[in-house]
Amino acid sequence: MADKSFFIDTTRCTACRGCQIACKQWNNLPAERTTNWGSFQNPADLSHSTFKLVRFSEVDAGGKVNWYFFPDQCRHCIDPPCKDAAEAYLNEAVVIDGATGAVVYTEKTRELSAEAFKEVRAACPYDIPRRNDATGLITKCTMCFDRVHHGLLPACVKACCTGALSFGDRPAMLEAARRRVEELKGKGYAKAQILDADSVRAIFLVIDDPKSYHPFATARAEMGKRRKLALPRLFRGGAGLIAGTYLVGSLMDSCGSE
Ligand code: SF4
Ligand code: SF4
Ligand code: SF4
């Protein structure tokens, strides 16, 4: 089971948002009250109750418009900077699930101060973590590690009917992604590429400049600097595996459907 990854082929995404809804359903997350802000992207951003968000971008392509869809989520970084930032304050608020490689935020995130949350969010190269101000919990995609432990696909992948989302053993996902890039290049998509594949477990494929899809589609440039700042304050307690009370652990008992 060890060493899992997503392969997210944006060329196959129709923006149906089935993944976005399935994520809310599995994680028991409420809908959000939203307003029309001039885009079909809804809600406008990730939040403590929206772990998966299909981003919409309209791009001028010399007389026509390209419409790009980007099912954004935590990348489950192989060496997660958010975990380093959290450990500067507290151990086991952010842990790595040894069976899958999922980066998981635990109940201990409630104990992180406002300043610590700011640093955790700033440390993320993809601007993913969000805080529930009412509960103090810091949240994001869990890789549905509870489902994966029981041999199920992540809920978002299960819901995707176009083949845009795949999940499985990392070598197989990397191979599928690289094969698809070659296939697309052969069809004339010269900019086809996979994003930050060596450092993340959510491997996105795009066919244009990544910034055309989302400003944080690839790791933001200043991350190296932020990470160097966090490291000297690091207190490493050897926590690498899940060993506590986890944010979604109870779901394994309460949800029985695929
Ligand atoms: S379910 Fe699949 S096709 Fe639909 S929005 Fe999500 S990734 Fe795109
Ligand atoms: S994408 Fe951000 S929140 Fe997710 S593991 Fe990487 S640093 Fe942490
Ligand atoms: S893996 Fe699970 S938690 Fe993460 S985006 Fe998909 S459904 Fe949501």
Side-chain angles (χ1 to χ4, degrees):
M1 187 194 285
D3 207 16
K4 300 293 187 186
S5 286
F6 298 86
F7 168 38
I8 301 172
D9 182 350
T10 64
T11 67
R12 296 192 195 278
C13 179
T14 61
C16 71
R17 288 185 282 215
C19 54
Q20 199 172 303
I21 299 303
C23 179
K24 281 192 180 278
Q25 194 172 33
W26 179 254
N27 291 296
N28 204 18
L29 298 167
E32 293 180 50
R33 186 170 292 279
T34 58
T35 54
N36 186 339
W37 61 290
S39 168
F40 286 105
Q41 180 181 315
N42 191 34
D45 200 3
L46 294 168
S47 75
H48 65 81
S49 60
T50 299
F51 301 169
K52 178 99 178 172
L53 173 68
V54 182
R55 297 189 183 276
F56 289 59
S57 307
E58 292 169 40
V59 178
D60 181 355
K64 64 178 184 122
V65 174
N66 284 343
W67 209 10
Y68 291 143
F69 310 129
F70 191 85
D72 198 12
Q73 63 166 86
C74 170
R75 309 301 194 274
H76 295 279
C77 302
I78 288 170
D79 187 11
C82 63
K83 182 170 180 288
D84 286 348
E87 284 179 353
Y89 294 89
L90 183 67
N91 280 327
E92 295 183 3
V94 180
V95 296
I96 296 178
D97 174 29
T100 59
V103 178
V104 181
Y105 285 14
T106 74
E107 291 280 345
K108 281 199 162 193
T109 56
R110 290 180 202 269
E111 297 169 34
L112 290 168
S113 65
E115 184 204 351
F117 167 60
K118 245 168 102 181
E119 289 206 20
V120 168
R121 181 166 172 182
C124 173
Y126 306 98
D127 191 33
I128 298 294
R130 300 289 191 273
R131 173 163 250 174
N132 182 336
D133 290 333
T135 66
L137 271 177
I138 305 175
T139 57
K140 63 164 194 68
C141 160
T142 65
M143 197 192 269
C144 284
F145 76 94
D146 49 346
R147 291 175 59 90
V148 178
H149 283 193
H150 286 77
L152 302 176
L153 286 170
C156 55
V157 178
K158 180 81 180 173
C160 181
C161 58
T162 66
L165 302 183
S166 307
F167 180 84
D169 292 337
R170 181 168 173 78
M173 292 298 104
L174 279 167
E175 193 195 331
R178 287 177 180 138
R179 214 179 321 120
R180 180 71 173 149
V181 166
E182 287 317 305
E183 183 188 341
L184 287 164
K185 284 194 166 163
K187 289 180 176 172
Y189 295 98
K191 291 185 181 173
Q193 59 191 289
I194 48 177
L195 308 179
D196 301 340
D198 292 338
S199 55
V200 297
R201 292 184 188 279
I203 303 159
F204 281 84
L205 181 152
V206 298
I207 53 170
D208 202 344
D209 176 358
K211 297 274 183 290
S212 303
Y213 291 75
H214 173 42
F216 303 132
T218 52
R220 46 186 167 187
E222 70 270 31
M223 292 320 304
K225 200 170 88 196
R226 283 203 174 114
R227 186 152 201 192
K228 274 182 208 140
L229 287 174
L231 282 172
R233 296 201 285 133
L234 214 59
F235 172 70
R236 290 185 185 277
L241 299 175
I242 289 180
T245 305
Y246 300 134
L247 177 59
V248 295
S250 62
L251 288 170
M252 287 190 289
D253 297 328
S254 59
C255 303
S257 66
E258 289 190 21

